[in-house]
Amino acid sequence: MCNPPFEATVRPRRFTATLPAATPRHWCDENPVITHLLNCYTLLIPGNEGYYIRTLRRVLPQLPESMRDVVTRFCLQEGQHGSGHLRHQALLENQGYRIRGFQRRTDAFLYKFVERLTPFKVRLAIVACVEHLNAYLGHEFLSQRILEDADPSLRVLFEWHFAEEIEHKHVAYDVLQAMAPSYPLRVTGALLAMPLFYLLVTTGMLNLLRQDKLLGQRRTWRLFREHLFSGHHMARRSLAHLRDYLRPGFHPWQLRDYELAQAVLTRYGSGEAALLQPFERPGPDTTC
């Protein structure tokens, strides 16, 4: 499969599926560990997406004209991801989960402390690395069909999000290369982003498992081991993806999974009852 051209890969879509109030608490195949890993991912998304948009908006006027439109479409996709996951957050609160404290502390640390103290080019490198993390999570969850037995509405939410992360995985990286093509800078961004990402996801997951009173159950830790090692092998696979990112000659499209993402987007975006609708660009003040 050939790599898609930079300008032809990013198409904003609106997520229109409903998230029923009767959605099970452990909605991913009755597996509380994977459910709460993804629930915590949901808690991080709106703040992360705002960070990406702020960062790329600042650099947009300096980019070559050929890159500006696709970066704007990237921002539109990220904005729609935030909107979809806010609906998931409302569902979690309706189920009785206490999520505001975790979000408030996380957002204060990331966006009132770390963001303000970090030089802009390092912030750009952080965005490029986190987008790689998002894209490889998408690759693994889709290629391993981890969401196959999930509740249908939340399966659509996460498969749509993961597919679009694959679709636009090159954008932030190529912007970094256009503005600051420094290998030490890329490594610096990765060394800052990777530990924070895994620390926050793990902390949030444990908090939600604690609220379900599941931290002391053997089944919980067995499911966690299966996800990391004997089942989905996510520990080994994650290390391989992170090692790839640190290679000097790395580029996101070296992992050839564009068709994997397009199959998902076609499945949910076609037919009269399509759950994804084309998103028309709003006015200039609401995009990059």
Side-chain angles (χ1 to χ4, degrees), residues 28-29 34 137-150 155 159 232 260 264 267:
C28 190
D29 195 22
I34 297 179
L137 284 174
H139 173 90
E140 293 299 336
F141 271 81
L142 295 181
S143 64
Q144 296 195 56
R145 307 173 80 172
I146 296 173
L147 293 161
E148 187 170 37
D149 294 319
R155 176 183 176 180
E159 288 191 339
H232 301 134
L260 175 68
V264 170
R267 182 168 74 247

Short mmCIF file of all heavy atoms in Angstrom, two decimals, residues 28-29 34 137-150 155 159 232 260 264 267:
data_model
loop_
_atom_site.label_atom_id
_atom_site.label_comp_id
_atom_site.label_asym_id
_atom_site.label_seq_id
_atom_site.Cartn_x
_atom_site.Cartn_y
_atom_site.Cartn_z
N CYS A 28 -16.97 -2.48 27.89
CA CYS A 28 -16.08 -3.14 26.93
C CYS A 28 -15.97 -4.62 27.26
O CYS A 28 -15.11 -5.04 28.04
CB CYS A 28 -14.69 -2.49 26.91
SG CYS A 28 -13.65 -3.08 25.55
N ASP A 29 -16.89 -5.41 26.73
CA ASP A 29 -16.88 -6.86 26.89
C ASP A 29 -16.89 -7.28 28.36
O ASP A 29 -16.27 -8.28 28.73
CB ASP A 29 -15.66 -7.45 26.17
CG ASP A 29 -15.76 -8.96 25.97
OD1 ASP A 29 -16.89 -9.48 25.99
OD2 ASP A 29 -14.70 -9.60 25.81
N ILE A 34 -10.10 -2.80 30.79
CA ILE A 34 -10.07 -2.11 29.51
C ILE A 34 -11.12 -0.99 29.48
O ILE A 34 -10.88 0.09 28.95
CB ILE A 34 -10.27 -3.10 28.35
CG1 ILE A 34 -9.12 -4.11 28.33
CG2 ILE A 34 -10.35 -2.36 27.01
CD1 ILE A 34 -9.23 -5.14 27.25
N LEU A 137 -2.10 3.47 19.60
CA LEU A 137 -3.22 2.87 20.33
C LEU A 137 -4.35 2.52 19.36
O LEU A 137 -4.96 1.45 19.46
CB LEU A 137 -3.73 3.83 21.40
CG LEU A 137 -2.86 3.95 22.66
CD1 LEU A 137 -3.42 5.04 23.57
CD2 LEU A 137 -2.80 2.62 23.41
N GLY A 138 -4.64 3.44 18.44
CA GLY A 138 -5.65 3.17 17.44
C GLY A 138 -5.30 1.93 16.62
O GLY A 138 -6.15 1.08 16.36
N HIS A 139 -4.05 1.84 16.20
CA HIS A 139 -3.61 0.68 15.42
C HIS A 139 -3.84 -0.62 16.18
O HIS A 139 -4.38 -1.59 15.63
CB HIS A 139 -2.12 0.83 15.08
CG HIS A 139 -1.53 -0.37 14.42
ND1 HIS A 139 -1.52 -0.53 13.06
CD2 HIS A 139 -0.95 -1.49 14.94
CE1 HIS A 139 -0.95 -1.68 12.75
NE2 HIS A 139 -0.60 -2.28 13.87
N GLU A 140 -3.46 -0.65 17.46
CA GLU A 140 -3.58 -1.88 18.22
C GLU A 140 -5.04 -2.23 18.53
O GLU A 140 -5.45 -3.38 18.38
CB GLU A 140 -2.76 -1.78 19.52
CG GLU A 140 -1.26 -1.70 19.30
CD GLU A 140 -0.71 -2.92 18.59
OE1 GLU A 140 -1.33 -4.00 18.65
OE2 GLU A 140 0.36 -2.81 17.97
N PHE A 141 -5.82 -1.24 18.94
CA PHE A 141 -7.21 -1.55 19.28
C PHE A 141 -8.00 -1.97 18.05
O PHE A 141 -8.88 -2.84 18.14
CB PHE A 141 -7.86 -0.35 19.97
CG PHE A 141 -7.69 -0.34 21.46
CD1 PHE A 141 -6.52 0.12 22.04
CD2 PHE A 141 -8.69 -0.83 22.29
CE1 PHE A 141 -6.35 0.11 23.42
CE2 PHE A 141 -8.53 -0.84 23.67
CZ PHE A 141 -7.36 -0.37 24.24
N LEU A 142 -7.69 -1.38 16.90
CA LEU A 142 -8.41 -1.76 15.69
C LEU A 142 -7.88 -3.07 15.10
O LEU A 142 -8.66 -3.94 14.72
CB LEU A 142 -8.33 -0.64 14.65
CG LEU A 142 -9.02 0.68 15.03
CD1 LEU A 142 -8.87 1.69 13.90
CD2 LEU A 142 -10.49 0.47 15.37
N SER A 143 -6.58 -3.21 15.00
CA SER A 143 -6.03 -4.41 14.36
C SER A 143 -6.28 -5.66 15.21
O SER A 143 -6.48 -6.75 14.67
CB SER A 143 -4.53 -4.24 14.10
OG SER A 143 -3.80 -4.09 15.31
N GLN A 144 -6.28 -5.51 16.55
CA GLN A 144 -6.55 -6.65 17.41
C GLN A 144 -8.04 -6.82 17.71
O GLN A 144 -8.42 -7.75 18.43
CB GLN A 144 -5.79 -6.50 18.74
CG GLN A 144 -4.28 -6.51 18.61
CD GLN A 144 -3.62 -6.74 19.96
OE1 GLN A 144 -3.89 -7.72 20.64
NE2 GLN A 144 -2.75 -5.81 20.35
N ARG A 145 -8.85 -5.91 17.21
CA ARG A 145 -10.32 -5.98 17.36
C ARG A 145 -10.72 -6.06 18.83
O ARG A 145 -11.62 -6.80 19.23
CB ARG A 145 -10.88 -7.16 16.57
CG ARG A 145 -10.44 -7.14 15.12
CD ARG A 145 -10.83 -8.37 14.35
NE ARG A 145 -12.23 -8.30 13.93
CZ ARG A 145 -12.78 -9.20 13.11
NH1 ARG A 145 -12.06 -10.20 12.64
NH2 ARG A 145 -14.04 -9.08 12.77
N ILE A 146 -10.05 -5.26 19.64
CA ILE A 146 -10.29 -5.28 21.09
C ILE A 146 -11.69 -4.78 21.42
O ILE A 146 -12.29 -5.19 22.43
CB ILE A 146 -9.21 -4.45 21.82
CG1 ILE A 146 -7.83 -5.11 21.61
CG2 ILE A 146 -9.51 -4.31 23.30
CD1 ILE A 146 -6.67 -4.30 22.15
N LEU A 147 -12.24 -3.93 20.57
CA LEU A 147 -13.55 -3.35 20.83
C LEU A 147 -14.69 -4.14 20.20
O LEU A 147 -15.83 -3.70 20.24
CB LEU A 147 -13.59 -1.91 20.32
CG LEU A 147 -12.68 -0.93 21.07
CD1 LEU A 147 -12.42 0.31 20.23
CD2 LEU A 147 -13.28 -0.55 22.39
N GLU A 148 -14.40 -5.28 19.64
CA GLU A 148 -15.39 -6.02 18.86
C GLU A 148 -16.65 -6.35 19.67
O GLU A 148 -17.77 -6.32 19.15
CB GLU A 148 -14.78 -7.29 18.29
CG GLU A 148 -15.68 -8.03 17.33
CD GLU A 148 -14.95 -9.16 16.62
OE1 GLU A 148 -14.09 -9.82 17.27
OE2 GLU A 148 -15.20 -9.38 15.43
N ASP A 149 -16.49 -6.68 20.95
CA ASP A 149 -17.63 -7.06 21.79
C ASP A 149 -18.02 -5.95 22.77
O ASP A 149 -18.68 -6.22 23.77
CB ASP A 149 -17.31 -8.34 22.56
CG ASP A 149 -17.15 -9.53 21.63
OD1 ASP A 149 -17.95 -9.64 20.67
OD2 ASP A 149 -16.23 -10.34 21.84
N ALA A 150 -17.61 -4.72 22.47
CA ALA A 150 -17.97 -3.59 23.32
C ALA A 150 -19.41 -3.17 23.06
O ALA A 150 -20.01 -3.53 22.04
CB ALA A 150 -17.03 -2.42 23.07
N ARG A 155 -18.43 1.58 21.21
CA ARG A 155 -17.53 1.02 20.20
C ARG A 155 -17.40 1.98 19.03
O ARG A 155 -16.28 2.22 18.55
CB ARG A 155 -18.07 -0.33 19.71
CG ARG A 155 -17.22 -0.92 18.59
CD ARG A 155 -17.77 -2.22 18.05
NE ARG A 155 -16.97 -2.68 16.93
CZ ARG A 155 -17.21 -3.79 16.24
NH1 ARG A 155 -18.22 -4.58 16.56
NH2 ARG A 155 -16.43 -4.11 15.22
N GLU A 159 -13.82 3.57 18.00
CA GLU A 159 -13.27 3.16 16.71
C GLU A 159 -13.20 4.34 15.75
O GLU A 159 -12.23 4.45 14.98
CB GLU A 159 -14.12 2.02 16.12
CG GLU A 159 -13.93 0.72 16.86
CD GLU A 159 -14.53 -0.48 16.14
OE1 GLU A 159 -15.44 -0.28 15.30
OE2 GLU A 159 -14.09 -1.61 16.42
N HIS A 232 -3.36 -9.28 24.92
CA HIS A 232 -3.15 -8.29 23.86
C HIS A 232 -1.68 -7.91 23.69
O HIS A 232 -1.35 -7.20 22.73
CB HIS A 232 -3.96 -7.03 24.17
CG HIS A 232 -5.43 -7.28 24.27
ND1 HIS A 232 -6.22 -6.77 25.28
CD2 HIS A 232 -6.26 -8.03 23.50
CE1 HIS A 232 -7.47 -7.17 25.13
NE2 HIS A 232 -7.52 -7.95 24.06
N LEU A 260 -6.63 0.21 7.24
CA LEU A 260 -7.33 -0.24 8.45
C LEU A 260 -8.26 0.85 8.95
O LEU A 260 -9.43 0.59 9.28
CB LEU A 260 -6.30 -0.60 9.52
CG LEU A 260 -6.82 -0.99 10.91
CD1 LEU A 260 -7.54 -2.32 10.84
CD2 LEU A 260 -5.65 -1.07 11.90
N VAL A 264 -12.84 1.30 8.82
CA VAL A 264 -13.72 1.70 9.93
C VAL A 264 -14.55 2.93 9.55
O VAL A 264 -15.77 2.97 9.75
CB VAL A 264 -12.88 2.00 11.18
CG1 VAL A 264 -13.74 2.64 12.27
CG2 VAL A 264 -12.23 0.73 11.71
N ARG A 267 -17.27 2.05 7.11
CA ARG A 267 -18.34 1.27 7.72
C ARG A 267 -19.33 2.15 8.47
O ARG A 267 -20.54 1.98 8.36
CB ARG A 267 -17.74 0.23 8.66
CG ARG A 267 -18.80 -0.68 9.31
CD ARG A 267 -18.17 -1.86 9.99
NE ARG A 267 -17.49 -1.53 11.23
CZ ARG A 267 -16.18 -1.60 11.43
NH1 ARG A 267 -15.39 -1.98 10.44
NH2 ARG A 267 -15.65 -1.31 12.59
#
